[in-house]
Amino acid sequence: MPILYSTYDMASAPPSGMPASLDQHLTCSICMDVFKDPVATACGHSFCKSCLDCNINYYDTSCPLCKHDLRKTPEVNIVLRNVVEQVKKSQEKQGNKYTGAPGEVACDLCTGRKLKAEKSCLVCLASFCSTHLEAHSSIPRMKGHRMVEPVQNMDKKACLTHGRPLELYSRKQQRCICTLCMEEGLEVVSMAVEWNMKKAELDNTKTELQQKIKKREKKVEEISTSLKDCMDRMETDWWEIDAVFTAVIVAVEEAQRRALQPLKDRRDVVERETKELTDELQAEISKLKKAMSELDDVSALEDHIDFLQTYPSLAGLVNHRDWTEVALDMSLSFGTMRKITTTMMEQIQQDLEKLTSIELQRVPKFSVDVKLDPTTAHTRLSLSDDGKEVGDGGEIQEVPDAPQRFDLFGSVLGLNKLNSGKSYWEVEVTNKTGWELGVTRGNANRKGKLSLNPDNGYWVTAHYDDNKYAAMTAPPIRLNLKEKPQNVGVFVDYEDGLVSFYDVNARSHIYSFTGCSFIGALHPYLSPHLKQNEKNSDPLIISAVKWR
C-alpha cells in the first residue's frame, strides 16, 4: 500500500530558496518587503533606510516598533545589505518564483514566497518545487511514488469517498477508484494497464483521424482542382458563346445596314433633287422680282414717247419655264427585303449552330443508362438480352399479353423513369431508312393508331421514306438535315420543359421541343419501324455515351 506524504515529512522537508525564518528576518516591518538599503537602530530593529526616514522627523525621533529614542539616523548596515543581495541573487538564479501565470503550479510546501512546482506526486497528492522534491529521491519509501508533470487541482486525483489516491480503474464503472473502492466481482485493473490499453486505442483513433484528415485534405485538393478545371471550361465556353452572339450581332447589324442602305441612297437623291428644284425656283423668283421693279419704273413714266419706246424691250421678261406640271419624285420603290432577311437568318442559324458543339460537351454528364422494357414492346419487336437493342423480328412472337404493350405501332419504352433533373442518352441509327425517337408520358395511350404529338404525351422526331425527317408536332414540322445522322442524342430537362435532339457525329442540332408540360414520369421512346423490306432491318442500338 502506498505511503502518503505525512505531515511530519512535510514539516521536516528541506526549506525552499529562502527558509521561512530567514525570510522573516529579511523583511522590513514597515513596507513588509525585503530590505532595501537596510539600517539597524540602536534598539536592535532593522528597517529600509527610506522607510525609516519617512517615519522619523524633528518632532518624533523614536523607533517605529519600540518607541526607543533614536539620537541619530543610523547608517546602512553593509553586512545585512550584502545578505539581502546574496539571497536575491540566489532567488533570481533559481528563477522558480511562482507568479500565478497560466500553466504554473505552486509548490504546496513552500511557505511565504512560493516557488513553481517541478513535479506532482500522485501518491502524496501534492506538488513540489526542486528543493522540496529532494525527499522523493532521498527517502527510500518515497522513491516508488509516481511523479508526473505539475498538475493543478490535485484533489481530483484522490477518491472523494475515502480520501485516498486513485490507483485502480474499474472497467465496469468506467472510472478511476482507490483500493478501498474495490468490490467483489468488480473487474479492476491497474491504471497503468488501463492507460496502456486506452493509449493504444487513442493511438489507433489518432491514426484513423489522421487518415480521415488526409482523405479530406486530398478531397479539398480535388475540389480545388475541379474548381480550376470548371472555371477554365466556363472561361472557354464564355468566350465561345460570346463569339457566337457577337457574330449574330454582326450579322444583324450587316442586314440592318443593307436594309437601310436603299432608304439612305433614296434620301440623298430626293434631297439633291429638292435642292436643284428649289435653287432654280429661287433664281426665277429673283428674276421675276427684278422684272417687277423694272415694270414699276416704266409704269411711272409720264412721257408718252419714253413709255412707248421702253415697253417693247420688256416683253421678254415674262417668258419663263412653266412649273405647273413640275413635282418632286416621291416614289419609294426598293423591292422587298426578303433576300436580305433570308441571308441574315441563314448566317444567324450558321453561327448559332456553333452552340451545339458546346451543348454536346455539357450533356454527357447527364447520361442515363437506358434499358428497354420488354413488357411494352410490340409483339414483332425483338429485344437483346441486355435491353440495349431493338429491331423488327419479322413475325409475331409469343409473349405474355400486357396492357402496357404497343399493339399497332412497332414501338417500345425504356425502363427508366424520368421525373426530375436532366437526362441524356444516344441511339445508333446507322443504315436505317426509318425510326422514331423521343420520350413519352408513362400514362400515354399505346393502343391503336396513335397521334405522336405533345398533345397526346409524345415528344418525338421521326425519320421516314429513307431521306425525310420530321418533328412530330401538331401538325408535324418537316426537318431539313444536311446529312443523315448515324447517332442521335436525346436530351431531356424535366424542370425546363425541354426535349432536344442532336446529330452526334455531325455535332449539329436537329430539333427541340420547348415549353413542354410534363406531368408524371417520362420514359424513353424508340421505334425501329416495322420493316417493309430488307432496307430497314438493322436494329436501333442504345450506345454508350462518350465524353467529347
Side-chain angles (χ1 to χ4, degrees):
M1 180 181 296
I3 301 175
L4 295 179
Y5 204 108
S6 66
T7 303
Y8 173 79
D9 293 329
M10 294 181 182
S12 60
S16 62
M18 183 189 293
S21 58
L22 182 59
D23 188 16
Q24 293 173 358
H25 290 304
L26 298 182
T27 302
C28 175
S29 57
I30 297 177
C31 66
M32 302 305 293
D33 202 351
V34 178
F35 287 132
K36 183 178 181 181
D37 295 332
V39 295
T41 63
C43 56
H45 297 115
S46 298
F47 308 94
C48 294
K49 188 176 187 307
S50 58
C51 293
L52 183 61
D53 289 342
C54 292
N55 281 270
I56 62 175
N57 50 53
Y58 178 80
Y59 301 99
D60 184 7
T61 60
S62 60
C63 174
L65 290 179
C66 65
K67 301 302 179 182
H68 180 80
D69 184 54
L70 302 177
R71 295 181 179 180
K72 63 178 181 177
T73 303
E75 297 297 328
V76 175
N77 189 318
I78 297 175
V79 175
L80 185 56
R81 183 182 64 184
N82 292 340
V83 171
V84 171
E85 290 179 352
Q86 189 65 31
V87 171
K88 285 184 177 180
K89 289 181 180 179
S90 177
Q91 290 178 339
E92 291 175 357
K93 185 176 180 181
Q94 290 182 0
N96 288 332
K97 181 179 179 182
Y98 174 71
T99 63
E104 288 187 0
V105 177
C107 176
D108 290 323
L109 294 190
C110 286
T111 59
R113 198 179 303 275
K114 288 185 174 292
L115 299 181
K116 289 188 293 185
E118 289 194 1
K119 294 288 182 179
S120 294
C121 179
L122 297 182
V123 178
C124 302
L125 299 179
S127 299
F128 308 99
C129 65
S130 58
T131 302
H132 292 120
L133 192 61
E134 293 178 359
H136 282 79
S137 59
S138 59
I139 300 177
R141 55 191 170 85
M142 299 178 67
K143 290 182 178 180
H145 290 191
R146 186 178 177 191
M147 309 301 292
V148 296
E149 293 301 315
V151 178
Q152 294 180 341
N153 301 323
M154 288 297 293
D155 289 343
K156 292 184 178 180
K157 310 298 180 181
C159 176
L160 298 179
T161 303
H162 304 103
R164 295 183 63 82
L166 298 174
E167 301 176 279
L168 304 174
Y169 185 82
S170 171
R171 288 180 172 172
K172 180 179 180 180
Q173 298 174 340
Q174 292 288 300
R175 67 184 185 91
C176 298
I177 61 175
C178 70
T179 54
L180 298 180
C181 292
M182 294 178 60
E183 300 176 2
E184 186 176 352
L186 193 65
E187 184 182 1
V188 175
V189 296
S190 69
M191 283 196 290
V193 171
E194 189 66 20
W195 180 88
N196 287 328
M197 187 185 77
K198 288 284 195 295
K199 186 69 166 53
E201 292 179 358
L202 184 62
D203 291 341
N204 291 336
T205 302
K206 287 172 63 178
T207 301
E208 292 177 2
L209 292 177
Q210 188 63 35
Q211 292 174 349
K212 290 182 178 180
I213 290 172
K214 288 183 178 179
K215 287 182 179 179
R216 282 152 180 78
E217 288 176 343
K218 184 178 180 181
K219 182 59 66 175
V220 169
E221 185 178 349
E222 290 176 358
I223 292 174
S224 178
T225 302
S226 299
L227 173 62
K228 184 180 182 304
D229 293 341
C230 181
M231 295 298 288
D232 290 342
R233 289 200 302 270
M234 286 195 293
E235 182 77 7
T236 301
D237 286 357
W238 177 287
W239 291 114
E240 289 180 356
I241 294 172
D242 182 74
V244 168
F245 282 97
T246 298
V248 169
I249 292 172
V250 170
V252 173
E253 290 177 345
E254 175 62 19
Q256 180 189 36
R257 185 193 66 76
R258 293 178 59 193
L260 293 176
Q261 189 62 44
L263 289 173
K264 182 180 178 182
D265 294 342
R266 182 58 183 156
R267 181 178 61 190
D268 294 341
V269 170
V270 171
E271 288 178 349
R272 184 177 66 255
E273 291 178 352
T274 300
K275 185 177 185 308
E276 291 174 353
L277 291 175
T278 302
D279 290 346
E280 187 176 350
L281 284 169
Q282 290 293 344
E284 292 195 5
I285 291 172
S286 296
K287 290 180 179 180
L288 291 173
K289 285 183 176 180
K290 182 178 179 181
M292 282 289 297
S293 176
E294 293 178 356
L295 289 176
D296 287 341
D297 292 341
V298 173
S299 179
L301 293 175
E302 295 292 337
D303 188 316
H304 295 169
I305 296 174
D306 288 341
F307 179 84
L308 294 175
Q309 288 178 340
T310 304
Y311 185 81
S313 64
L314 300 176
L317 294 176
V318 295
N319 187 16
H320 294 283
R321 180 180 178 180
D322 182 6
W323 290 87
T324 305
E325 301 299 329
V326 177
L328 182 67
D329 184 2
M330 299 180 62
S331 61
L332 301 176
S333 18
F334 307 113
T336 68
M337 293 178 288
R338 184 59 48 198
K339 181 178 180 180
I340 296 174
T341 55
T342 300
T343 302
M344 178 190 70
M345 294 305 297
E346 289 176 353
Q347 182 62 45
I348 290 175
Q349 188 62 38
Q350 183 178 346
D351 291 331
L352 291 178
E353 194 60 41
K354 297 176 183 177
L355 296 177
T356 302
S357 178
I358 299 175
E359 291 178 342
L360 286 174
Q361 290 176 359
R362 295 177 177 177
V363 294
K365 66 179 295 185
F366 305 111
S367 61
V368 293
D369 184 17
V370 173
K371 291 187 178 181
L372 302 177
D373 183 0
T375 64
T376 64
H378 186 276
T379 53
R380 272 186 55 173
L381 295 184
S382 175
L383 275 62
S384 62
D385 293 337
D386 61 0
K388 294 291 186 179
E389 299 183 19
V390 57
D392 184 2
E395 58 184 16
I396 301 296
Q397 303 179 59
E398 293 185 5
V399 293
D401 188 22
Q404 65 269 31
R405 190 182 300 280
F406 287 92
D407 64 349
L408 184 59
F409 273 43
S411 307
V412 64
L413 300 185
L415 288 167
N416 311 68
K417 292 184 178 181
L418 315 177
N419 50 25
S420 65
K422 302 174 178 64
S423 307
Y424 177 75
W425 62 95
E426 295 177 0
V427 182
E428 184 180 334
V429 297
T430 308
N431 298 327
K432 293 193 65 62
T433 60
W435 46 259
E436 291 164 5
L437 298 174
V439 294
T440 181
R441 293 196 189 105
N443 59 357
N445 180 34
R446 304 173 199 172
K447 302 298 182 181
K449 187 173 178 60
L450 303 177
S451 295
L452 301 179
N453 57 57
D455 293 338
N456 295 323
Y458 288 86
W459 292 267
V460 174
T461 55
H463 172 41
Y464 59 99
D465 292 347
D466 194 26
N467 59 358
K468 296 179 181 179
Y469 300 87
M472 304 306 291
T473 57
I477 298 174
R478 180 76 177 268
L479 303 176
N480 295 316
L481 304 186
K482 293 182 179 180
E483 54 186 86
K484 189 174 183 179
Q486 302 298 308
N487 286 275
V488 175
V490 184
F491 175 71
V492 179
D493 188 332
Y494 194 95
E495 282 74 20
D496 212 24
L498 173 69
V499 181
S500 293
F501 300 86
Y502 299 94
D503 182 340
V504 177
N505 299 89
R507 302 183 72 77
S508 62
H509 175 251
I510 297 175
Y511 185 79
S512 286
F513 292 90
T514 58
C516 305
S517 178
F518 299 141
I519 301 175
L522 302 177
H523 292 267
Y525 170 88
L526 294 85
S527 174
H529 282 190
L530 299 179
K531 62 183 179 180
Q532 304 299 325
N533 50 56
E534 293 301 322
K535 276 190 169 184
N536 199 37
S537 59
D538 288 351
L540 292 176
I541 303 173
I542 301 171
S543 55
V545 176
K546 299 178 181 178
W547 288 87
R548 298 171 179 84

